[in-house]
Amino acid sequence: MEAYILEWLNLLLRWAHLIVGIAWIGSSFYFVWLDMNLNVPPRDPEDEAVAGDLWAVHGGGFYHAQKYKVAPGQLPEPLHWFKWEAYSTWLTGFALLVLMYYVNADVYLVDKTVADITGGMAVAASVGFIVAAWVVYDLLCRTGLSDFWIGLAGFLFLVAVTYAVSQLFSGRGAYMQIGAMLGTIMAANVLMIIIPGQRELVQAKQRGEEPDPLPGIRAKQRSVHNNYITLPVLFVMLSPHYPMTYGHEYGWLLLIAIFIVGVLVRHFFNLRNQGKTAPALLIIALIIIVLAAFAAAPKSRAIPGQAVTTQPAQPAGPVSFSQLEQVIVKRCNVCHSAEPNHPTAPVAPNGVMFDTPDQIRQWAQRIHDRTVSNRTMPLANLTQMTTEERQLVDHWYKTGANVK
């Protein structure tokens, strides 16, 4: 019953995280688009304090938006703030991280073939990496360097950390760790820089003083940074469904490649919003994705602790279905069954069950991909599937996946 309750809590948190995440990303993308599409100077300058304006039509009505150089002469009421979307996204995301990856660290975060650490050690390292990522990024932004050099230094730091966590956590856990770090940077930008900067502008006007434009400039810088980080973070949210990425021997490099694609795509649209065209960015992004897909194509993989061979050793003779079924029952049915008995699986994950020959035949390719090609199942190898059993599955699949 406890696992069932946790499953519902997981579902509700994911749903909430998705809802508030859409609200945050939507408002963020809209305001960046708005800023890049302002008429500067405004078409009909009625106020010298106005830096630019924009006319738009949506939902059957016309809208006229204006941006001030620093602040209007008099603050209007009410003044709408955009902050709780970011805070709620981080809170629900961190709650999910705790519920899945910290509470079940031995299942989702730790992989003994990667690093022989305990769940507690993994959680401590995860929190440390999250805090360190924000500190390093914030210090970079305070150096006074241009956005180009901040971006380059930040990218090199990200590459180093991505490799480091891939040597410490499971493939899936490493991806989620990087996503948590980037998501925290985005939310901390809102909490620590953007909102305080906006608050300083408002408080200065309330005191009857001319606001200092510097806090607003810093807030815009961090907002633009968040804009470029968004697509990589969204990929991490999707990645648990695609073990061909995080389960690959060089999964950390695939993650970096996909992050580069996300930044290129975002930059293409940012330029387009400014009336510029750069189709080469999309072409480069497509080339990177194609190359990554070819590089990650399933092939013979090294078994931890063993020398690399061109072809894995196969069983001496044909594999009968009864032999394969014994492996499935022993190593897989603990979760993938109509009545699973593993504490983290109150129901069969994704509805995938291996109780009958027809079900095993239906999921033959998935079984082979997860246990042989990607080696991401059994999860964290909790049921201790052996190298010989994986080779047996491989031989069974390649010789027709017979269930008779």
Side-chain angles (χ1 to χ4, degrees):
M1 180 57 71
E2 179 183 354
Y4 182 70
I5 294 173
L6 289 176
E7 191 78 358
W8 269 100
L9 183 58
N10 186 316
L11 168 62
L12 295 176
L13 276 174
R14 282 181 184 275
W15 194 13
H17 186 55
L18 181 64
I19 292 170
V20 294
I22 289 173
W24 182 17
I25 294 169
S27 63
S28 173
F29 278 14
Y30 171 72
F31 277 105
V32 170
W33 174 88
L34 182 65
D35 195 66
M36 291 180 174
N37 281 274
L38 290 171
N39 302 303
V40 180
R43 291 178 180 175
D44 301 311
E46 299 176 358
D47 187 342
E48 292 184 357
V50 175
D53 69 349
L54 177 140
W55 283 88
V57 59
H58 180 74
F62 291 90
Y63 297 82
H64 184 206
Q66 295 179 316
K67 180 181 179 180
Y68 287 79
K69 296 174 182 176
V70 180
Q74 183 175 357
L75 290 179
E77 287 290 345
L79 184 62
H80 298 286
W81 295 70
F82 292 82
K83 55 184 178 179
W84 285 108
E85 299 92 340
Y87 301 160
S88 300
T89 301
W90 188 87
L91 288 171
T92 54
F94 191 74
L96 273 172
L97 184 68
V98 171
L99 182 65
M100 283 201 65
Y101 290 85
Y102 289 178
V103 173
N104 298 303
D106 291 329
V107 177
Y108 293 105
L109 201 55
V110 174
D111 184 340
K112 295 292 186 180
T113 66
V114 175
D116 190 11
I117 59 176
T118 65
M121 293 167 62
V123 171
S126 174
V127 173
F129 272 115
I130 290 173
V131 174
W134 164 251
V135 171
V136 171
Y137 164 79
D138 188 52
L139 289 175
L140 275 174
C141 290
R142 294 177 186 274
T143 59
L145 295 171
S146 68
D147 280 340
F148 172 80
W149 290 111
I150 291 173
L152 179 59
F155 174 73
L156 294 176
F157 174 72
L158 178 66
V159 171
V161 172
T162 302
Y163 175 76
V165 298
S166 74
Q167 303 303 303
L168 186 63
F169 303 135
S170 68
R172 178 172 171 175
Y175 272 39
M176 202 55 57
Q177 176 67 34
I178 296 299
M181 290 163 57
L182 294 177
T184 297
I185 287 173
M186 292 176 66
N189 272 339
V190 176
L191 176 66
M192 307 293 286
I193 304 297
I194 297 174
I195 293 300
Q198 293 173 175
R199 191 174 290 116
E200 287 186 43
L201 295 175
V202 170
Q203 290 173 347
K205 292 299 298 182
Q206 291 173 337
R207 294 191 301 266
E209 302 173 357
E210 189 63 28
D212 180 359
L214 186 57
I217 294 172
R218 288 174 177 164
K220 180 180 177 180
Q221 179 194 45
R222 301 299 182 98
S223 181
V224 172
H225 291 178
N226 281 1
N227 180 258
Y228 282 99
I229 296 173
T230 299
L231 296 187
V233 172
L234 286 176
F235 169 77
V236 172
M237 292 173 64
L238 295 174
S239 65
H241 299 285
Y242 301 96
M244 63 188 178
T245 56
Y246 66 79
H248 193 271
E249 183 180 1
Y250 295 103
W252 69 277
L253 273 178
L254 283 174
L255 185 61
I256 292 297
I258 293 172
F259 277 7
I260 292 173
V261 169
V263 171
L264 289 174
V265 170
R266 188 63 252 165
H267 191 53
F268 168 83
F269 283 103
N270 285 343
L271 291 176
R272 187 169 180 269
N273 291 337
Q274 300 174 60
K276 304 174 184 178
T277 57
L281 293 175
L282 294 184
I283 294 172
I284 294 171
L286 179 60
I287 291 173
I288 293 174
I289 282 292
V290 171
L291 290 177
F294 274 106
K299 53 183 175 291
S300 299
R301 298 184 53 190
I303 307 300
Q306 296 184 8
V308 178
T309 57
T310 304
Q311 290 292 335
Q314 297 290 354
V319 176
S320 67
F321 176 68
S322 62
Q323 290 176 287
L324 182 282
E325 190 175 29
Q326 289 176 23
V327 175
I328 296 295
V329 170
K330 187 176 182 180
R331 308 301 185 188
C332 307
N333 277 20
V334 63
C335 293
H336 292 284
S337 172
E339 297 181 357
N341 54 26
H342 194 275
T344 63
V347 295
N350 298 319
V352 177
M353 293 176 280
F354 307 140
D355 293 324
T356 68
D358 286 342
Q359 289 174 334
I360 293 173
R361 183 69 183 87
Q362 176 187 355
W363 296 107
Q365 181 176 345
R366 177 79 66 87
I367 292 170
H368 183 266
D369 289 346
R370 295 296 186 93
T371 61
V372 179
S373 299
N374 298 317
R375 296 177 61 86
T376 53
M377 286 290 169
L379 194 61
N381 205 21
L382 291 175
T383 56
Q384 300 181 344
M385 178 178 276
T386 66
T387 298
E388 292 73 19
E389 289 169 334
R390 294 182 192 277
Q391 292 168 347
L392 186 147
V393 173
D394 186 39
H395 191 54
W396 169 76
Y397 178 76
K398 290 179 177 178
T399 54
N402 190 358
V403 295
K404 295 181 180 179

